[in-house]
Amino acid sequence: MSIKRIEADVDDRARDSACYFCNEMFEMGKLQNHLKQCGSILEQCPLRCGAWIQRKHKDTHVKDCPQMTREAVSPSHVRASDPVPPQPNLHTWTPHSIPLEDCVTYLEKEITSIKLILTEETSHRDVQSTEIDNLRSKLVLVEERTQHFLSSLVSLRAAVDDEAERSANWAAQFKHDLANVQLALQELQSQQMNTAMRLESVVTSLVHEQRERELLEQAMTDHDNKIRSIKALEEAVNYLKQTIEDERQRNEENQIGLMGDMVGGRLAIDRIAVLEVATADARAEAAEQIAKMDLVSRDLRALTKSYHKLRNELIDFQSRVSLDNPELGGDNGHLIWRIDNFHDRMKEAKEKDAVLTSPLFRTSKYGYTLKAELNLNGIGKWKGRHLTCTLRLVAGPYDQLLDWPCDLTINIILRDQPANKSQATDIVKTLDLRRKSSSKRHDYDISGDDKTRSTESLDLNVIQMKKQYIFIPHTSLDKFEYIKNDVMFLEFIVNQ
């Protein structure tokens, strides 16, 4: 219900008035017309019998009025001493003879009561009017709040529609991204499966290679033992030959003297025969050992060929793994090499001269392939006092497309690991790398200036090592946090 309808209803109720005779509610304009026709108004009997009757019961009273009975009966038929008593009628009012003063007093009281009622009605109407005004102000406030609520509701509906559309777009984008992620995950899983299969095959190959290596070592041991046996047999044969020759010479020298002594001659002949039989047996065993040596040599050549084939396949696989895995290598001319278990590696380098080899990395996506070699205990005259490091060019899949000779300048950085990175003090060394061709026979070359320089008082190997290696003293490693948590980082940056 709107505010205007409520106000109209309130105004209508305020303008309605009750009839004093029948108590029905009428508007102010219609009440006067109703009074002209109200059936509850008292009127005097039209036959002048002295009764007052309600207008709606007038016709019924006229039928039963005593005055109507008197007029209808003739005087000759009715005795004057027997008047007909009037019948009681519920719809008539017969006035009694009341003194005028009592009537006036009664009317004054009634007027006073009416005035009181009118005063109360007026005050009641004033209160109602005040309440109506308050109600109108409240209704206006409610209308304003309703309008504000409707505007807020419209804006909220628009915001909800925008949010729903945005959510639908986000949901569609999320589904699309989820599908892409699932495809990438499937591809990654397939790559992981392929890598796992390759690793499994490589492990199997390594196990097989280890077994073949063990067999080869056993065969080499047997071969060495057989060679020693053959050498011992050859020595024994030579000794027997020498002994036989000596005996023959002695027999020839003593043949004349022994001709007389038949018994002594027979003994010498028997000794010679025994020696000849032993020599024949030694020659047969030597021939058998030589045949076995030929078989072992043929098996050794086959095993060596298989070993080199497996080693090449392992190197190729390691290069692919190193270059495909971003954690191991890269193809942007930049490598950070993490060396774990530094102290164990240093101990191994001191005891066994172990050399650490970094993962392979390229100068660019289709560029030169490099690897770093690190001697923690140093080499040559620097052994036991310095850490030496170098870079080597290895055969890559794109060498036929690259320019040769190759000249590269590489910065080698030993990274400091302080808690505050702004206070890091890195050790930076520069290494010039040159190679004539992609062939493995020429790793490095000395520049023309070095060739023309006099090297009479210097060792050429020392000059080459200074050009090919960088040297960091062991005493420098303890000055800062180059070794932290038993980990060292070497960074390689190719300047292109």
Side-chain angles (χ1 to χ4, degrees):
M1 184 180 293
S2 64
I3 296 175
K4 294 182 179 180
R5 290 188 61 186
I6 293 172
E7 291 178 353
D9 292 340
V10 172
D11 293 337
D12 292 341
R13 291 176 183 176
R15 288 194 296 267
D16 290 346
S17 299
C19 178
Y20 291 104
F21 299 98
C22 63
N23 293 326
E24 293 185 8
M25 301 298 292
F26 295 94
E27 297 179 0
M28 291 299 294
K30 297 181 180 180
L31 181 59
Q32 298 297 329
N33 295 328
H34 171 70
L35 293 175
K36 295 177 181 180
Q37 301 176 0
C38 182
S40 298
I41 296 176
L42 295 176
E43 293 183 353
Q44 191 175 8
C45 179
L47 299 178
R48 305 295 179 179
C49 68
W52 293 82
I53 310 99
Q54 290 182 349
R55 186 179 292 173
K56 59 185 176 180
H57 300 300
K58 184 177 179 182
D59 295 336
T60 304
H61 173 72
V62 170
K63 292 180 182 179
D64 298 333
C65 181
Q67 191 66 27
M68 178 65 73
T69 305
R70 290 193 192 103
E71 292 179 358
V73 177
S74 175
S76 60
H77 295 87
V78 179
R79 295 182 297 176
S81 60
D82 297 326
V84 178
Q87 299 294 327
N89 195 340
L90 298 175
H91 307 291
T92 60
W93 176 73
T94 303
H96 299 283
S97 59
I98 301 172
L100 183 59
E101 294 178 358
D102 295 338
C103 291
V104 172
T105 303
Y106 177 75
L107 290 175
E108 287 177 355
K109 291 180 180 180
E110 290 294 329
I111 290 171
T112 303
S113 300
I114 291 172
K115 286 181 179 180
L116 291 173
I117 292 171
L118 290 175
T119 303
E120 292 177 359
E121 186 69 24
T122 302
S123 63
H124 183 63
R125 288 188 178 183
D126 292 339
V127 172
Q128 287 183 348
S129 186
T130 304
E131 292 178 354
I132 288 170
D133 293 336
N134 294 332
L135 185 60
R136 284 179 180 173
S137 62
K138 291 181 180 180
L139 289 174
V140 170
L141 182 60
V142 169
E143 183 68 22
E144 291 177 356
R145 292 183 177 178
T146 303
Q147 293 295 332
H148 179 69
F149 176 73
L150 290 175
S151 62
S152 300
L153 186 62
V154 171
S155 61
L156 182 62
R157 176 63 64 83
V160 169
D161 293 338
D162 294 339
E163 188 66 26
E165 184 178 0
R166 204 175 306 119
S167 299
N169 294 333
W170 286 348
Q173 184 65 29
F174 176 74
K175 290 181 179 178
H176 180 68
D177 295 340
L178 183 61
N180 293 334
V181 169
Q182 289 177 350
L183 290 175
L185 183 60
Q186 291 177 359
E187 185 177 358
L188 180 61
Q189 289 177 351
S190 63
Q191 291 179 358
Q192 288 179 349
M193 291 180 63
N194 294 331
T195 305
M197 293 176 64
R198 288 189 210 169
L199 289 174
E200 186 177 358
S201 62
V202 169
V203 170
T204 305
S205 302
L206 289 175
V207 173
H208 183 65
E209 179 186 352
Q210 185 66 27
R211 291 177 181 175
E212 289 185 350
R213 190 178 297 173
E214 292 176 356
L215 293 175
L216 181 61
E217 292 177 354
Q218 185 65 32
M220 291 293 293
T221 304
D222 296 339
H223 179 65
D224 293 338
N225 294 331
K226 290 177 180 179
I227 289 175
R228 292 194 203 95
S229 301
I230 291 171
K231 288 181 178 180
L233 289 175
E234 287 179 351
E235 291 177 357
V237 169
N238 292 329
Y239 176 74
L240 290 174
K241 286 181 178 179
Q242 187 65 31
T243 305
I244 291 170
E245 291 295 330
D246 294 339
E247 290 293 333
R248 282 181 179 178
Q249 289 177 2
R250 274 190 293 237
N251 290 332
E252 288 177 358
E253 291 175 356
N254 297 324
Q255 186 174 8
I256 298 171
L258 295 175
M259 288 298 291
D261 193 358
M262 295 302 291
V263 176
R266 288 176 184 175
L267 292 174
I269 292 171
D270 292 338
R271 188 175 181 184
I272 291 171
V274 170
L275 290 174
E276 288 179 351
V277 171
T279 303
D281 293 338
R283 287 178 180 176
E285 186 174 357
E288 184 180 357
Q289 294 296 331
I290 291 171
K292 290 182 180 180
M293 284 178 59
D294 293 336
L295 293 176
V296 170
S297 299
R298 186 170 63 252
D299 295 338
L300 180 61
R301 286 193 296 272
L303 290 174
T304 304
K305 185 177 179 181
S306 176
Y307 169 75
H308 287 299
K309 182 179 179 181
L310 290 174
R311 187 175 181 83
N312 292 330
E313 291 178 356
L314 179 61
I315 292 173
D316 294 339
F317 176 75
Q318 288 176 345
S319 64
R320 288 197 300 271
V321 171
S322 300
L323 292 170
D324 293 339
N325 191 345
E327 295 181 357
L328 299 179
D331 56 2
N332 57 354
H334 185 201
L335 172 67
I336 296 180
W337 183 14
R338 175 189 172 105
I339 302 172
D340 297 313
N341 303 322
F342 176 80
H343 294 91
D344 293 339
R345 299 287 181 87
M346 177 63 79
K347 182 178 179 181
E348 186 178 0
K350 290 180 179 180
E351 294 177 354
K352 302 179 181 180
D353 291 334
V355 179
L356 301 181
T357 303
S358 74
L360 300 180
F361 67 102
R362 294 196 186 104
T363 57
S364 61
K365 188 172 183 179
Y366 305 106
Y368 302 98
T369 305
L370 304 173
K371 71 174 179 179
E373 292 182 357
L374 177 64
N375 300 84
L376 294 178
N377 197 37
I379 58 175
K381 60 183 288 189
W382 297 273
K383 188 173 183 179
R385 297 183 294 112
H386 288 72
L387 178 150
T388 59
C389 182
T390 186
L391 278 168
R392 299 195 184 278
L393 278 166
V394 298
Y398 310 106
D399 288 347
Q400 291 88 347
L401 305 178
L402 301 176
D403 296 331
W404 301 95
C406 168
D407 289 302
L408 297 175
T409 301
I410 300 99
N411 290 334
I412 303 176
I413 306 169
L414 178 59
R415 298 291 296 270
D416 191 11
Q417 307 173 50
N420 188 358
K421 301 303 178 184
S422 61
Q423 299 178 356
T425 306
D426 299 334
I427 296 177
V428 182
K429 301 283 186 176
T430 302
L431 184 68
D432 294 328
L433 183 63
R434 177 178 175 84
R435 185 165 167 177
K436 289 182 178 180
S437 66
S438 60
S439 174
K440 296 182 181 180
R441 292 177 297 175
H442 305 290
D443 277 346
Y444 298 92
D445 188 15
I446 302 176
S447 62
D449 295 337
D450 292 334
K451 288 181 179 180
T452 58
R453 192 177 299 168
S454 176
T455 59
E456 294 178 356
S457 60
L458 296 175
D459 187 4
L460 182 61
N461 292 328
V462 174
I463 295 175
Q464 290 180 348
M465 289 178 68
K466 285 185 177 180
K467 289 181 61 64
Q468 298 172 8
Y469 288 85
I470 60 106
F471 306 90
I472 300 174
H474 287 169
T475 56
S476 300
L477 300 178
D478 300 329
K479 292 181 179 180
F480 298 97
E481 295 184 275
Y482 298 113
I483 314 298
K484 187 176 182 180
N485 297 329
D486 207 20
V487 176
M488 183 177 74
F489 290 97
L490 276 175
E491 185 175 6
F492 303 89
I493 301 175
V494 180
N495 297 325
Q496 297 179 355

